[in-house]
C-alpha cells in the first residue's frame, strides 16, 4: 500500500506543479493531496499540524489566485476580455511555443482580446494587458512557491 501511496503522492505533486501555470489544473490542491497521500504512508513523520497548516495555506492561495488577477486587471481599467485573453494566450502559447509561450502568451492574449473589445484605445489595451499579465504572473508565482514548498515537505518527511 505504501508504494501506491508514494506513487500517487509523487504524481499529485507533479500535476500540482504543472497546475501552477496551467489553469485547467488546480495546482496547490493537487499538491496538497500528494501530502495527504504521504501522511497515510507508514514511513513518514508528516504530522497532522503540518497537514492542517498546509491545507490552510492551500485554501489561502486558491482564494488569492482567484481574487488577485481580476483585481489587478480592474485597477488598470482592464476588462473581463483582458482576463479571458490572458488565459487564452497562455493556452495557445504553451501549446505552440512551450515555456516562452507561458511567459509571453498571457500578455499577448490579453492585449489582443482588449483590442477586440475596444480597438480605439491601444494605450488602455496595453495597460490592461500588462496588468492582466502581472496578475497572472503573481498568481502563478504564489502557486509555484507554495507547490515548491509542498514538494520540499514531501521529501523532508519521508524516512
Amino acid at each position: 500500500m505504501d508504494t501506491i501511496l508514494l506513487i500517487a503522492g509523487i504524481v499529485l505533486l507533479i500535476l500540482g506543479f504543472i497546475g501552477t501555470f496551467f489553469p485547467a489544473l488546480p495546482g496547490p490542491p493537487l499538491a496538497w493531496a500528494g501530502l495527504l497521500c504521504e501522511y497515510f504512508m507508514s514511513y513518514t513523520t508528516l504530522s497532522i499540524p503540518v497537514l492542517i497548516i498546509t491545507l490552510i495555506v492551500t485554501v489561502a492561495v486558491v482564494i488569492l489566485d482567484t481574487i488577485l488577477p481580476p483585481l489587478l486587471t480592474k485597477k488598470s481599467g482592464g476588462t473581463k476580455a483582458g482576463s479571458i485573453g490572458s488565459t487564452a494566450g497562455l493556452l495557445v502559447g504553451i501549446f505552440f511555443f512551450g515555456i516562452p509561450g507561458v511567459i509571453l502568451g498571457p500578455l499577448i492574449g490579453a492585449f489582443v482580446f482588449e483590442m477586440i473589445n475596444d480597438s480605439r484605445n491601444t494605450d488602455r489595451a496595453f495597460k490592461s494587458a500588462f496588468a492582466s499579465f502581472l496578475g497572472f504572473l503573481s498568481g502563478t508565482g504564489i502557486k509555484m512557491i507554495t507547490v515548491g514548498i509542498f514538494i520540499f515537505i514531501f521529501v523532508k518527511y519521508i524516512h
Side-chain angles (χ1 to χ4, degrees):
M1 185 58 138
D2 280 343
T3 304
I4 293 170
L5 288 169
L6 177 65
I7 292 169
I10 291 170
V11 167
L12 286 166
L13 286 165
I14 291 169
L15 288 174
F17 185 77
I18 293 168
T20 63
F21 56 89
F22 192 69
L25 295 172
L30 287 171
W32 186 83
L35 292 179
L36 186 62
C37 288
E38 178 181 13
Y39 175 76
F40 290 106
M41 293 188 305
S42 63
Y43 50 91
T44 184
T45 57
L46 187 66
S47 65
I48 287 283
V50 170
L51 208 53
I52 290 170
I53 290 168
T54 54
L55 177 60
I56 292 167
V57 167
T58 299
V59 170
V61 166
V62 168
I63 290 169
L64 268 175
D65 188 45
T66 304
I67 294 171
L68 199 58
L71 183 66
L72 284 172
T73 301
K74 262 189 189 173
K75 289 266 185 200
S76 71
T79 65
K80 189 166 181 86
S83 295
I84 293 168
S86 185
T87 301
L90 168 71
L91 296 174
V92 170
I94 197 168
F95 184 75
F96 289 107
F97 304 106
I99 298 299
V102 170
I103 296 166
L104 294 175
L107 177 64
I108 294 168
F111 181 74
V112 168
F113 274 59
E114 285 292 349
M115 289 302 294
I116 290 169
N117 188 46
D118 181 9
S119 61
R120 293 167 291 161
N121 197 342
T122 307
D123 192 42
R124 186 196 56 75
F126 182 75
K127 184 178 175 187
S128 171
F130 191 70
S132 294
F133 176 67
L134 287 178
F136 169 78
L137 281 183
S138 62
T140 300
I142 290 168
K143 291 185 293 185
M144 281 184 140
I145 290 167
T146 302
V147 171
I149 291 169
F150 288 3
I151 292 169
F152 173 78
I153 289 170
F154 187 89
V155 171
K156 179 182 181 216
Y157 285 101
I158 288 182
H159 294 290

